Amino acid sequence: MPAVTVENILALPRLDEPAESAVDRPVKSITTAPVGYEGEGFPVHRAFAGIDLSALDPFIHMDQMGEVNYAPGEPKGTPWHPHRGFETVTYMIDGIMEHQDSNGGGGVIGGGDTQWMTAGGGILHIETPPEHLVLSGGLFHGVQLWVNLPRDNKMASPRYQDITGNKVALLSSPDGGALVRVIAGDAGPGSTYTPIALSHTTIAPGASLTLPWNPEFNAIVYVLAGEGTVGAERRPIRVGQTAVFGRGDSITVAASDRQDSRTESLEVFILGGKPIREPIAMAGPFVMNTKSEVMQAFEDFQAGRLGSIPAAHEKLS
C-alpha cells in the first residue's frame, strides 16, 4: 500500500499534540463493511453500511474499492452515469483510474492521487481503468467517498479538483510512529463547501496516534489494512471495520504490535466534518433534500438537462 510516503518521516512537520485539558472521544460503535459490487462488477466494501446517516453527516456513503489483483482482461470500471446534489471524492492507493465528465473535467489518477468532483446541479461521468491496465491486469485499490452539499449549494456549478499526490500535506506524529496524509482540512489541498477533515494515515506496529479534533466535527475511522485499537478504551478494530466516535477534543488510534503477513502497518482513513443537519432524500445517484427534488433530478436526467456525453466518448456509453 504505497500511496505517498517519505524516506525519513522525522523530517516532516509534526502534528500538534492535544491540549492537556482535551477529552478523548469515546467509541460509539464499530461496524463491519459488507462486500458489494459496483459499476461493471468491481468489488467494494460498503464502509458505512448499518450506520445511521445522522452519525455520518456531512458524509453519505463510502466504498473501499478492492483491494483486488486483476488478471489480464479483468479490470472493470463504471459506465456513464449521472449525479446531483453532492461531491464524489476518489482516492487511489494502488492502480490507475481514468475519469471523464460532461463538464470537461477529468484525468488519470494513480497511487496517492485524489479526484474531487462536485456534481452540484448535475453532471454525467465515467470511471474506467486505462486500456493498458485492462490488458495487463494488476493491483487495484482505492476509496470513494460521497460528501453531501448544503441546500444552498446543491445546484452549484459542477467543478473538478485534481489533487495529485505531491499536493497532499504530509505530517508526522510527535514520536514519528505515524504518517498522516492530509487530503482535506486545515493543512489539506481540497476545497470544500462544508468544513471537513480527511486523511490517510499509516501507523507503525505498536505505535499510537492521538489527533486533536475539532469539537464541532464528527469523527470516523475506517481500517483499510491491518489491525489495532481505537479510543482510550482500546477497542479492537481490523481491516474492513468502521469506528464512529462520540464527542470530545481528540481521537486515538493505535496499531497492534504484530500485523499479518500481508500488512506492514495499520492503514486507516480518518474523516470528520461539521454536520449540515438538513433533511436527506436520496435515490441512486441523486442526493437531495426532498423526494420531489429527487424525482425532478431523474426527470432532468432523462430529458438530457444534466449534461451530455462528449462525442468522443459516446461509443463508451
Side-chain angles (χ1 to χ4, degrees):
M1 188 176 293
V4 177
T5 189
V6 293
E7 290 187 8
N8 181 12
I9 190 173
L10 295 175
L12 294 174
R14 305 297 173 89
L15 286 161
D16 292 333
E17 299 213 42
E20 290 186 12
S21 60
V23 175
D24 203 57
R25 292 181 174 227
V27 178
K28 293 176 61 178
S29 67
I30 294 178
T31 55
T32 301
V35 177
Y37 293 89
E38 195 57 70
E40 296 171 338
F42 61 84
V44 297
H45 287 80
R46 307 288 193 195
F48 292 164
I51 303 174
D52 192 277
L53 280 175
S54 63
L56 300 171
D57 187 9
F59 309 111
I60 306 161
H61 172 86
M62 191 168 83
D63 282 339
Q64 180 181 10
M65 305 179 295
E67 182 178 8
V68 58
N69 201 350
Y70 283 120
E74 286 187 343
K76 299 175 176 67
T78 66
W80 283 93
H81 59 282
H83 287 306
R84 172 180 279 180
F86 64 102
E87 301 180 286
T88 65
V89 181
T90 305
Y91 173 67
M92 291 300 296
I93 299 169
D94 291 294
I96 305 171
M97 182 70 78
E98 292 182 340
H99 163 90
Q100 296 291 328
D101 65 49
S102 55
N103 198 46
V108 179
I109 57 172
D113 296 339
T114 301
Q115 64 176 23
W116 197 302
M117 187 187 77
T118 302
I123 201 167
L124 306 181
H125 82 143
I126 186 172
E127 296 160 306
T128 57
E131 185 176 354
H132 70 83
L133 183 62
V134 175
L135 294 174
S136 68
L139 191 60
F140 179 82
H141 191 197
V143 175
Q144 185 169 95
L145 172 70
W146 290 13
V147 184
N148 197 11
L149 285 170
R151 186 192 304 271
D152 291 344
N153 301 120
K154 282 200 174 292
M155 300 299 287
S157 298
R159 70 176 181 181
Y160 178 85
Q161 298 178 68
D162 183 20
I163 305 173
T164 54
N166 60 5
K167 297 177 183 176
V168 171
L170 301 180
L171 300 172
S172 166
S173 59
D175 64 359
L179 171 62
V180 181
R181 306 166 186 85
V182 184
I183 300 165
D186 291 342
S191 174
T192 67
Y193 279 92
T194 192
I196 68 172
L198 179 63
S199 67
H200 169 201
T201 296
T202 301
I203 305 175
S208 179
L209 171 67
T210 299
L211 284 171
W213 207 252
N214 188 328
E216 294 185 341
F217 285 15
N218 56 11
I220 302 158
V221 168
Y222 177 76
V223 181
L224 296 163
E227 59 183 40
T229 63
V230 285
E233 61 268 51
R234 299 183 64 84
R235 289 185 60 176
I237 194 168
R238 56 178 169 78
V239 60
Q241 292 188 319
T242 303
V244 175
F245 292 78
R247 295 181 179 274
D249 310 292
S250 63
I251 58 175
T252 297
V253 185
S256 298
D257 292 338
R258 303 181 108 183
Q259 301 293 331
D260 63 41
S261 59
R262 297 179 61 252
T263 307
E264 293 183 3
S265 304
L266 175 65
E267 304 281 350
V268 291
F269 213 56
I270 303 177
L271 61 160
K274 187 175 182 178
I276 297 172
R277 296 193 175 94
E278 292 177 351
I280 295 176
M282 56 189 297
F286 306 124
V287 181
M288 305 303 291
N289 294 115
T290 67
K291 289 182 179 179
S292 63
E293 290 172 341
V294 172
M295 294 303 297
Q296 185 63 54
F298 276 107
E299 291 177 13
D300 288 346
F301 167 57
Q302 291 166 356
R305 291 190 285 268
L306 267 63
S308 58
I309 300 172
H313 299 278
E314 283 184 347
K315 64 182 180 179
L316 300 175
S317 61

